[in-house]
Amino acid sequence: MKLGMTSGCLLGLLLMTAALTRTGAVPVPSPLRALPGTRGCHLAQFKSLSPQELQAFKRAKDAFEESLLQKDWNCSSRIFPRTRDLRQLQVWERPVALKAEVALTLAVLGTMANSSLGSTLDQPLHTLGHIHSQLQACVPAQPTAGPRPRDRLHHWLHRLQEAPKKESQDCLEASVMFNLFRLLTRDLKCVASGHLCV
């Protein structure tokens, strides 16, 4: 008899919670997969990249800077403003922002792979691809399933999404290349550190 009453109470509580969540009467918790350290999400390994990996990125950046001397380019805006700081976001928002940043970087570097820089980009593309796959395990495919992005995150995501439409290929390449070490040593480290990044 007690077992039946307990089961009935639990069922009632579950139905009530589902109804309240559906009507928006209670806040929807942030998805666990969006937070570093959860199952299938292993970002702590990126608190610091190996010297070999960083050297590969440096070689690619140096080669790119040499190629710039042969180009006449002028960019009107910054895709990655200096004032942008992931610490301004909530902890669950940071992997979302970093995933978009890495995705754009991968896309731009991928188009450069057929240029004279091709061989120097092999290792950086491999490393960034691994980072992106780990971020995908931490960030839901459909962000709408969790809390909605605040204005600042929404603005950052929109800027990155619009960049390929608004900027020339030369500007995209320059922006991504000059942002590489900030991405690797600051943004990535912050996301990998979770709540400790303050």
Side-chain angles (χ1 to χ4, degrees), residues 145-176:
R148 294 187 177 184
R150 295 185 303 169
D151 289 344
R152 180 174 281 128
L153 175 61
H154 185 270
H155 175 70
W156 288 5
L157 295 178
H158 181 71
R159 178 193 289 270
L160 295 177
Q161 183 180 7
E162 292 296 309
K165 305 173 188 176
K166 294 183 176 181
E167 302 294 341
S168 67
Q169 184 62 26
D170 285 346
C171 284
L172 285 172
E173 292 175 3
S175 296
V176 161

Side-chain angles (χ1 to χ4, degrees), residues 84 86 98 101 182-183 185-192:
R84 182 183 58 85
L86 288 187
L98 182 63
E101 185 180 354
R182 177 174 175 167
L183 185 161
T185 62
R186 185 171 167 178
D187 295 349
L188 181 60
K189 182 179 180 180
C190 180
V191 170

Side-chain angles (χ1 to χ4, degrees), residues 2-82:
K2 289 184 179 179
L3 181 61
M5 290 178 63
T6 302
S7 299
C9 290
L10 284 174
L11 181 59
L13 283 173
L14 287 173
L15 289 173
M16 185 183 304
T17 302
L20 288 172
T21 302
R22 217 170 26 243
T23 58
V26 294
V28 180
S30 58
L32 290 177
R33 293 181 61 205
L35 299 176
T38 55
R39 195 172 194 178
C41 177
H42 308 291
L43 294 181
Q45 61 183 298
F46 299 123
K47 286 181 181 178
S48 62
L49 296 181
S50 71
Q52 293 82 5
E53 288 172 316
L54 290 175
Q55 185 60 34
F57 280 99
K58 185 178 184 305
R59 282 195 298 268
K61 184 172 180 286
D62 289 346
F64 175 75
E65 288 180 357
E66 287 182 18
S67 72
L68 276 185
L69 300 176
Q70 305 167 13
K71 294 182 179 181
D72 180 20
W73 61 281
N74 182 32
C75 298
S76 58
S77 62
R78 288 181 176 272
I79 300 175
F80 306 103
R82 294 183 184 276

Side-chain angles (χ1 to χ4, degrees), residues 79-91:
I79 300 175
F80 306 103
R82 294 183 184 276
T83 55
R84 182 183 58 85
D85 189 338
L86 288 187
R87 290 175 298 178
Q88 298 170 344
L89 301 176
Q90 295 182 38
V91 173

